[in-house]
Every structure is written in structure tokens, then in C-alpha cells.
């Protein structure tokens, strides 16, 4: 049995982490851990229950009723496939709000670590992505990537996602939303998005002018350089 290990991919919203991580996990025959899905699922459950996502006490009461599992690239909330649903802006923005709560983060991190450790013990390569994966969830990851791009490029990617979903959204609105998310993710007191990733052992990768395949190629070369694959 091969030795399992973790790869952490962090970065701001719409940097391409999800697509990259899932493709990398697939190519490495590993396990894809979408950490952000836990916060999106919690936000979605709050929305479904009519709970205000900015009411920390009320949100914390919902935690025991949220069961999440991953199957390949699919995410299930209480046994319902919500893979596409949690990509909507209400769940995405809601996740950024509920994730500020230290109790919510503690609960999510504990679950994420348990899932990752179980997979690693089975000899799997865990590819996890989020905002604080390499600093909080998997600090011992063998490779930490900080994937980023300019706010303008990320806003265009986000807009393309919305268009594919059939939503009519203004670019300037999406750009403002991206910038607001950046400020919230970097400014939260508990487990913020790293502001000094290079000092924390991350390989910084700006994919503003790179295709998904080019970005994936850079990461695979780094894995080979470290003799991890």
C-alpha cells in the first residue's frame, strides 16, 4: 500500500481551486476534499430553515442537523446531492458569513481533519482546497499551493459561472462581490485567508494568464520535484 499524504490548495474566491483540486485528485487517483463545501452546506441548511446567517447563535443551533459526505466530486448534504446548489451566490456568500464564527470553524475543521486522516491512513493522496487548508486544517500537508489571480480575472470567471447557471449578473456587481469576499476572508479573526502565504511555506501560483492544464502541469512538476509522485 502506498503512503498517503495531503496536498493543500488555498486562495481567494474564484481562483480556480475547486476545478484544479478535483482534477488533480482524479489524476493522482486520490481523494478530493472540498473544505469550503462544509460552510456552503451549513449556509444552505440555514437558508432552507429560514435561519439568518448573520445570527451566530441561531446558526450554531443548526450544526447538529448538518451531515456532509463527499463522493468523488459530489457533495451530499443530509443525503441530498447539493453539488450544483452550493455554487449559487446565496450559499457562497452565506458561507463567507457563517465561517467567521469560531464555533462553526472548529466544528468544520474537526470534521475535515477526520475525513482527511481516514483517507491518508488508507494510503490515499488527499487533495484539499479552501481558505485555511494549509494553515489550519492540514498544516502537515506535503505540498501547499496558494492559488490566486487578479480580482478582475476572478470576477470574469465568476461571471462566466453565473452565465452558465442562467443568471443575469452585472460584471461590476460581481467584481464588487469578489472584493468584498476577499476582505471578509482576509479580515476574519479566526483562521483568515493567509496574507503572507510565502512565509507560511506555500508555493504561490498566479494563474491569471494560465489555462487549467498549464496550472495543473506546474503543480504536478512540483510534486515530481519533491519526489511525492
Amino acid at each position: 500500500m502506498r503512503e498517503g499524504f495531503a496536498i493543500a490548495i488555498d486562495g481567494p474566491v474564484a481562483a480556480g481551486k475547486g476545478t484544479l483540486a478535483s482534477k488533480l485528485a482524479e489524476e493522482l487517483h486520490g481523494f478530493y476534499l472540498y473544505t469550503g463545501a462544509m460552510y456552503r452546506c451549513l449556509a444552505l441548511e440555514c437558508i432552507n430553515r429560514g435561519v439568518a446567517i448573520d445570527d451566530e447563535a441561531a446558526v450554531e443551533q443548526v450544526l447538529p442537523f448538518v451531515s456532509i459526505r463527499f463522493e468523488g466530486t459530489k457533495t451530499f448534504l443530509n443525503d441530498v446531492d447539493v453539488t450544483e446548489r452550493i455554487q449559487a451566490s446565496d450559499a457562497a456568500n452565506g458561507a463567507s458569513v457563517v465561517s467567521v464564527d469560531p464555533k462553526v470553524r472548529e466544528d468544520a475543521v474537526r470534521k475535515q481533519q477526520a475525513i482527511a486522516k481516514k483517507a491518508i491512513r488508507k494510503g490515499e493522496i488527499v487533495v484539499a482546497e479552501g481558505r485555511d487548508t494549509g494553515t489550519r486544517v492540514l498544516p502537515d500537508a506535503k505540498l501547499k499551493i496558494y492559488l490566486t489571480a487578479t480580482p478582475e480575472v476572478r470576477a470574469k470567471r465568476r461571471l462566466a459561472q453565473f452565465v452558465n447557471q442562467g443568471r443575469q449578473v452585472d460584471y461590476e456587481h460581481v467584481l464588487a462581490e469578489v472584493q468584498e469576499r476577499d476582505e471578509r476572508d482576509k479580515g476574519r479573526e479566526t483562521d483568515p485567508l493567509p496574507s503572507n502565504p510565502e512565509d507560511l511555506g506555500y508555493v504561490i501560483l498566479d494563474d491569471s494568464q494560465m489555462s487549467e492544464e498549464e496550472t495543473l502541469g506546474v503543480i504536478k512538476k512540483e510534486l515530481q520535484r519533491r519526489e511525492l509522485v
Side-chain angles (χ1 to χ4, degrees), residues 103-119:
K103 290 186 179 180
V104 167
R105 297 202 68 80
E106 181 181 352
D107 180 79
V109 168
R110 183 172 62 251
K111 292 175 181 176
Q112 292 158 9
Q113 290 175 332
I115 292 171
K117 288 178 181 178
K118 181 179 179 180

Side-chain angles (χ1 to χ4, degrees), residues 173-193:
H173 173 77
V174 177
L175 176 59
E177 194 174 75
V178 165
Q179 294 171 327
E180 181 181 341
R181 284 283 302 278
D182 286 350
E183 289 301 313
R184 194 156 57 217
D185 289 342
K186 291 179 180 178
R188 67 179 181 233
E189 292 185 10
T190 304
D191 305 329
L193 178 69

Side-chain angles (χ1 to χ4, degrees), residues 13-14 40 86-89 91-93 153-163 165 174 177-178 181:
V13 62
R40 289 177 182 239
I86 60 175
Q87 297 306 313
S89 60
N93 291 331
V153 167
R154 291 187 285 121
K156 289 179 181 177
R157 291 173 180 170
R158 196 71 168 162
L159 182 61
Q161 291 177 347
F162 291 151
V163 170
Q165 295 171 358
V174 177
E177 194 174 75
V178 165
R181 284 283 302 278

Side-chain angles (χ1 to χ4, degrees), residues 109-183:
V109 168
R110 183 172 62 251
K111 292 175 181 176
Q112 292 158 9
Q113 290 175 332
I115 292 171
K117 288 178 181 178
K118 181 179 179 180
I120 290 173
R121 282 197 301 268
K122 291 166 58 180
E124 295 190 78
I125 299 175
V126 174
V127 184
E129 57 95 356
R131 300 292 190 279
D132 61 345
T133 312
T135 55
R136 181 74 172 86
V137 182
L138 300 170
D140 296 326
K142 296 294 186 181
L143 174 62
K144 301 178 184 181
I145 298 291
Y146 187 87
L147 188 67
T148 189
T150 66
E152 291 76 17
V153 167
R154 291 187 285 121
K156 289 179 181 177
R157 291 173 180 170
R158 196 71 168 162
L159 182 61
Q161 291 177 347
F162 291 151
V163 170
N164 288 335
Q165 295 171 358
R167 295 181 56 198
Q168 297 296 322
V169 186
D170 178 75
Y171 167 76
E172 294 300 330
H173 173 77
V174 177
L175 176 59
E177 194 174 75
V178 165
Q179 294 171 327
E180 181 181 341
R181 284 283 302 278
D182 286 350
E183 289 301 313

